[in-house]
Amino acid sequence: KAKEGLFVNTGFFPLNEAKHGKEALYLLGAQVGFNGKIADTKFNAGVAYYSYEGLKGQDPDDVSPAADPPGNTLVGGNYAYDYTFWDFNVDFTPFEIPFGSFSMPVKFKANYVVNLASDVKEDHGYLLGFDIGKASKKGSWNFGYNYREVGADCVPAIFNDSDMNGGGTDLKGHKFGFAYALNDNSTLGITYLMGESLGKTTTDDLNT
């Protein structure tokens, strides 16, 4: 990984050992991307491939006993599908806004994911958002917003964002955040989330 230019990330993550006659569970991942400037615009983009090996047929409680978020399709209490997906990320900062003694960068970002496993219907999810400013130096601040829709089976529910609508998948929602730098080393922030179910599950709407 260079300071600017192309980068590559790879990983092998054991998630659970084999037991009770079931397969061991692990995650394989690889990502390639670019970080730098294009026409004087800060630009960061990456495409990744992830494969959860051995997840189909597993009981969610065996994978993660501490959490059982809704969303994924289960048959007989076990995962109905594999989760092998492409993940696309991009963010860019086309301009900055003068604000007093600070220069406030404006960043736009997007994320898209699609599950490649066969027979999956709710197989994709996306996020769109922006950030204004950066809470780094004393008196500076940041405001961020994003909107997302996460299909029921685009990713494993137990590993998705646990804040939006109580966690899981099969949801959509808005996220607002504000942070203020009290000094160069401390910030004070607040985040507000408005989550809704997409309808496959009976998850209640939740604002936090």
Side-chain angles (χ1 to χ4, degrees), residues 42 96 101-105 132-143 178-188:
K42 292 181 180 179
E96 297 185 355
S101 59
F102 302 107
S103 183
M104 309 288 284
I132 300 175
K134 185 176 181 180
S136 55
K137 298 294 183 180
K138 181 179 180 180
S140 62
W141 53 269
N142 164 266
F143 173 77
F178 178 80
Y180 178 79
L182 301 174
N183 55 50
D184 291 352
N185 300 304
S186 301
T187 60
L188 180 66

Side-chain angles (χ1 to χ4, degrees), residues 1 15 19 28 36-37 53 58 63 68 88 100 102 105 114 134 143-144 147 173:
K1 182 179 179 181
L15 300 175
K19 60 180 180 179
L28 295 173
K37 286 187 176 182
E53 300 293 330
Q58 292 269 8
V63 179
D68 190 16
F88 303 90
F102 302 107
V114 57
K134 185 176 181 180
F143 173 77
Y147 173 78

Side-chain angles (χ1 to χ4, degrees), residues 3 17 31 35 61 69 77 114-115 151 153 159 167 181 192 202 205:
K3 186 175 181 180
E17 62 184 21
Q31 181 190 49
N35 179 46
D61 289 334
V114 57
N115 187 359
D153 292 301
F159 298 122
Y192 184 68
T202 56
D205 299 345

Side-chain angles (χ1 to χ4, degrees), residues 13-179:
F13 305 92
L15 300 175
N16 200 3
E17 62 184 21
K19 60 180 180 179
H20 307 307
K22 295 186 177 181
E23 296 182 54
L25 176 63
Y26 55 91
L27 167 65
L28 295 173
Q31 181 190 49
V32 62
F34 173 84
N35 179 46
K37 286 187 176 182
I38 297 179
D40 293 327
T41 297
K42 292 181 180 179
F43 184 83
N44 182 59
V47 56
Y49 176 82
Y50 299 102
S51 181
Y52 285 86
E53 300 293 330
L55 193 60
K56 184 177 180 179
Q58 292 269 8
D59 185 330
D61 289 334
D62 289 339
V63 179
S64 180
D68 190 16
N72 293 158
T73 301
L74 305 178
V75 175
N78 298 330
Y79 288 108
Y81 303 119
D82 289 317
Y83 291 86
T84 299
F85 51 90
W86 287 104
D87 179 89
F88 303 90
N89 275 289
V90 62
D91 67 68
F92 60 98
T93 307
F95 56 88
E96 297 185 355
I97 301 173
F99 185 83
S101 59
F102 302 107
S103 183
M104 309 288 284
V106 178
K107 177 188 291 186
F108 297 94
K109 54 190 176 183
N111 175 227
Y112 177 78
V113 59
V114 57
N115 187 359
L116 306 176
S118 60
D119 300 323
V120 179
K121 294 181 179 179
E122 291 84 10
D123 61 357
H124 68 278
Y126 69 88
L127 179 148
L128 299 171
F130 67 86
D131 287 287
I132 300 175
K134 185 176 181 180
S136 55
K137 298 294 183 180
K138 181 179 180 180
S140 62
W141 53 269
N142 164 266
F143 173 77
Y145 165 80
N146 67 61
Y147 173 78
R148 73 195 70 185
E149 290 193 8
V150 184
D153 292 301
C154 65
V155 295
I158 58 175
F159 298 122
N160 196 39
D161 186 350
S162 61
D163 293 327
M164 179 63 69
N165 213 40
T169 58
D170 189 48
L171 57 82
K172 62 181 179 179
H174 306 268
K175 180 178 180 179
F176 304 85
F178 178 80

